[in-house]
Amino acid sequence: MSGGEEPEGQRQADEAPGNRQVFDTTVAHSARVHDYWLGGKDNYAADRAAGDAVIAAYPGIVKSVRANRAFLARVVRHLAGEAGIRQFLDIGTGIPAANNTHEVAQSVVPDCRVVYVDYDPVVLAHARALLTSSEQGATDYIDADLRGPETIIQQAARTLDFSRPVAVMLIAIMHLVVDQDDPYGIVGRLLAAVPPGSYLALSQVASDIEAEQMAEAAKRYNRLAHETQRHRTHAEVTRFFDGLDLLPPGLVPVQKWRPDSEIEAKTKSAMWGGVGYKR
Ligand SMILES: C[S@@+](CC[C@H](N)C(=O)[O-])C[C@H]1O[C@@H](n2cnc3c(N)ncnc32)[C@H](O)[C@@H]1O
């Protein structure tokens, strides 16, 4: 499936009840807009229009999403390496891109086990690329909604042992969970399901970095897209780590979280990122 084919107007409605995503190419969806900003091909005209509307309000968005992908890779490398984590639950996976979680984790320790979760049908269509595990490790993909964390835990238990530490990864997804959907409660329920020694890795779009541009970007995106963005302040994002020990350097702009080089540290983003440890 590629944006080049442009089946505009196609609506493969999955008539399942509740919040199940439908494959509607006429409305922008976060996975495909994100793919557009990352230079991918799995996006449609509506996604590109929403992506361009955000770029017009906040031209730094492309650097921001790239800095976030680099944050993801550094975090996974740290967790699989120094922290000794062997199990990852990556929720809001996105369309496969460079440095998917299992590729990074298994390049450090081949027997890492990774479960991916997303609710977008286009991500599901590309899930095969996420299931290319090393022989020693394992990967799985769950087509599910973060707003039902119990279903995710139940299905992830096919692959992950919840009596042993798990890294719960919520990378660039919580800004797509609005306050009415109880974002703090959802994160709390996920963390309650993992034992001491587990980690939370989380990044989220900021409302207090480039505040004016970000407010305009959210307004434009929300007019055009399926999901509503809820940008958050440093204090609001810190709250996701309540009860955890934040690893140094704390909650910082993603490019400042243990950057590999000065150049990396100097790039710009409007995203907060951090890693917490469950004692
Ligand atoms: C901005 S992308 C981030 C992708 C990847 N984590 C990264 O940082 O590069 C957000 C992803 O979260 C998914 N997503 C948004 N809301 C979700 C929900 N309620 N349940 C499951 N997935 C969701 C979208 O489909 C999309 O693939």
Side-chain angles (χ1 to χ4, degrees):
M1 198 176 318
S2 119
E5 293 161 24
E6 291 293 342
E8 288 306 335
Q10 174 183 6
R11 189 180 175 91
Q12 293 177 5
D14 177 341
E15 299 300 345
N19 289 319
R20 187 71 182 70
Q21 285 260 38
V22 292
F23 181 16
D24 181 358
T25 60
T26 65
V27 178
H29 280 231
S30 65
R32 279 126 53 177
V33 176
H34 191 251
D35 175 74
Y36 172 55
W37 287 328
L38 283 175
K41 288 186 297 191
D42 299 296
N43 50 74
Y44 298 84
D47 306 309
R48 295 190 285 276
D52 286 339
V54 171
I55 290 173
Y58 172 55
I61 186 67
V62 171
K63 277 195 178 152
S64 197
V65 295
R66 293 201 171 140
N68 177 65
R69 283 300 294 188
F71 165 78
L72 180 154
R74 293 196 305 280
V75 166
V76 173
R77 240 187 291 128
H78 169 78
L79 292 173
E82 259 173 75
I85 288 289
R86 298 290 175 267
Q87 309 194 97
F88 295 81
L89 179 56
D90 180 348
I91 308 175
T93 305
I95 292 167
N99 290 328
N100 299 303
T101 297
H102 76 285
E103 292 161 349
V104 178
Q106 293 181 347
S107 75
V108 180
V109 179
D111 60 1
C112 285
R113 304 175 79 81
V114 178
V115 172
Y116 291 108
V117 182
D118 206 291
Y119 72 170
D120 191 299
V122 177
V123 180
L124 175 65
H126 288 277
R128 230 175 311 120
L130 300 167
L131 300 174
T132 55
S133 176
S134 65
E135 257 178 51
Q136 302 94 316
T139 57
D140 194 8
Y141 182 86
I142 302 172
D143 177 27
D145 192 317
L146 167 62
R147 292 167 294 183
E150 285 73 22
T151 305
I152 291 175
I153 299 293
Q154 195 189 14
Q155 294 191 26
R158 289 194 301 250
T159 311
L160 306 181
D161 173 356
F162 280 93
S163 69
R164 306 183 63 192
V166 176
V168 176
M169 305 196 28
L170 295 168
I171 307 295
I173 182 171
M174 293 314 294
H175 60 276
L176 300 164
V177 180
V178 294
D179 295 350
Q180 298 89 297
D181 286 333
D182 189 20
Y184 299 106
I186 290 170
V187 174
R189 280 146 69 198
L190 286 169
L191 290 174
V194 297
S198 295
Y199 288 85
L200 170 67
L202 185 148
S203 65
Q204 123 109 60
V205 179
S207 61
D208 50 355
I209 301 176
E210 308 285 9
E212 261 177 46
Q213 291 184 25
M214 292 312 290
E216 182 58 28
K219 214 188 298 168
R220 292 181 187 199
Y221 183 89
N222 291 342
R223 266 203 298 265
L224 295 169
H226 169 77
E227 295 122 325
T228 300
Q229 289 203 355
R230 164 68 161 93
H231 298 177
R232 294 191 172 90
T233 63
H234 187 271
E236 288 172 328
V237 181
T238 302
R239 209 181 132 195
F240 286 121
F241 295 92
D242 271 3
L244 304 179
D245 298 337
L246 261 177
L247 303 194
L251 184 73
V252 292
V254 286
Q255 71 277 12
K256 305 257 189 229
W257 198 91
R258 306 187 185 199
D260 285 332
S261 67
E262 290 266 315
I263 295 174
E264 189 161 53
K266 280 195 180 130
T267 188
K268 293 227 160 109
S269 83
M271 297 200 65
W272 297 117
V275 178
Y277 175 71
K278 179 169 172 174
R279 254 193 281 176

